[in-house]
Amino acid sequence: MMTSTTQSPVSTQARDGGAKTGTITLARHGRPALSRKCWLTSDGYRDWWRRYDLGGLQAGQTAPQELVDTASKADVIFVSTLRRAQETAQAVTGGRDIITDAIFVEAPLPPPHTPSWFKMPPRLWGVTARIWWHLFNRRDGHENRSEAENRADRAAQMLIERAERGQDVLVLAHGYFNHMIGQKLKARGWRLTLDQGFKYWSQRRFEKG
């Protein structure tokens, strides 16, 4: 499941020489290029989501300096395999080594099957599909909620192991799956100490309670 580059040296001690537990920062990618200004059937939304996953970022964006600063201070940076996350990493890491891992890809959004005359914009389809997937544990050829929960649990444990070795960890990935990881971190006693929500380029930082 994992593909990785070489990684930054492990930081196992605080700058004052004492043992420390690092932080875990979950950041969302920048704004994607694919337009949401359209109306789609459920089948059309499936195709739209496929193209969304293949596509990159909208041109002309500048990464927030605060996120660039977080990346510069991180001991290790994990990035989803999807293009929009990879291009986000290019924008914020300054060419530093990263670890690319498919464990951080977004949870799927399979919409319910509806008549061909029924259309909605992608944003509403996203909400509908997430509720459908979450409440009814729908698969429809994709990872179901239970499987995604297990994946989020494994991802959270992987990040905790890094942080407990003294590393400050940054993840550049996706809105909803970052939320799922965050819930797993909270369940393990990690506190949310920086919360910028789930907008593009946003950060949510966790520290051991």
Side-chain angles (χ1 to χ4, degrees):
M1 189 174 191
M2 174 181 289
T3 59
S4 66
T5 66
T6 56
Q7 55 191 280
S8 302
V10 176
S11 172
T12 56
Q13 292 187 326
R15 291 176 178 82
D16 62 4
K20 71 160 187 173
T21 298
T23 62
I24 298 172
T25 302
L26 307 176
R28 191 183 181 194
H29 56 77
R31 181 178 296 278
L34 188 62
S35 175
R36 296 176 182 267
K37 296 179 180 180
C38 55
W39 287 71
L40 304 167
T41 64
S42 59
D43 286 342
Y45 179 70
R46 287 184 182 86
D47 180 67
W48 185 92
W49 183 259
R50 179 188 62 79
R51 290 183 288 120
Y52 181 80
D53 269 353
L54 292 174
L57 298 185
Q58 186 179 83
Q61 296 180 74
T62 301
Q65 186 60 45
E66 189 173 359
L67 182 54
V68 173
D69 291 343
T70 296
S72 71
K73 296 172 185 175
D75 296 297
V76 60
I77 301 172
F78 288 101
V79 185
S80 159
T81 56
L82 295 180
R83 180 178 167 186
R84 59 190 183 272
Q86 291 287 310
E87 291 185 1
T88 298
Q90 293 171 16
V92 304
T93 62
R96 285 190 52 192
D97 290 337
I98 63 172
I99 299 177
T100 295
D101 196 330
I103 199 171
F104 297 108
V105 302
E106 182 61 293
L109 278 173
H113 294 275
T114 58
S116 60
W117 53 262
F118 184 81
K119 295 183 179 182
M120 291 193 295
R123 190 174 302 278
L124 290 181
W125 272 122
V127 173
T128 302
R130 184 61 72 207
I131 293 172
W132 176 254
W133 178 83
H134 189 87
L135 292 183
F136 300 103
N137 204 26
R138 299 299 299 180
R139 178 184 294 278
D140 291 342
H142 300 275
E143 179 184 51
N144 64 23
R145 180 177 59 82
S146 298
E147 291 166 339
E149 290 282 359
N150 289 335
R151 177 161 62 93
D153 195 65
R154 296 195 309 273
Q157 185 58 41
M158 183 170 71
L159 300 177
I160 289 171
E161 289 173 1
R162 290 281 188 163
E164 287 180 342
R165 287 160 52 186
Q167 294 180 304
D168 288 330
V169 183
L170 172 62
V171 177
L172 298 170
H174 310 276
Y176 196 78
F177 196 68
N178 279 358
H179 163 72
M180 296 178 73
I181 295 173
Q183 294 299 105
K184 301 298 183 181
L185 293 174
K186 288 180 180 179
R188 287 169 165 79
W190 287 70
R191 297 180 297 109
L192 182 63
T193 58
L194 172 66
D195 187 1
Q196 296 181 345
F198 297 96
K199 62 184 182 294
Y200 300 124
W201 304 105
S202 63
Q203 303 180 73
R204 301 178 80 236
R205 183 167 300 129
F206 295 82
E207 299 181 38
K208 183 65 176 177

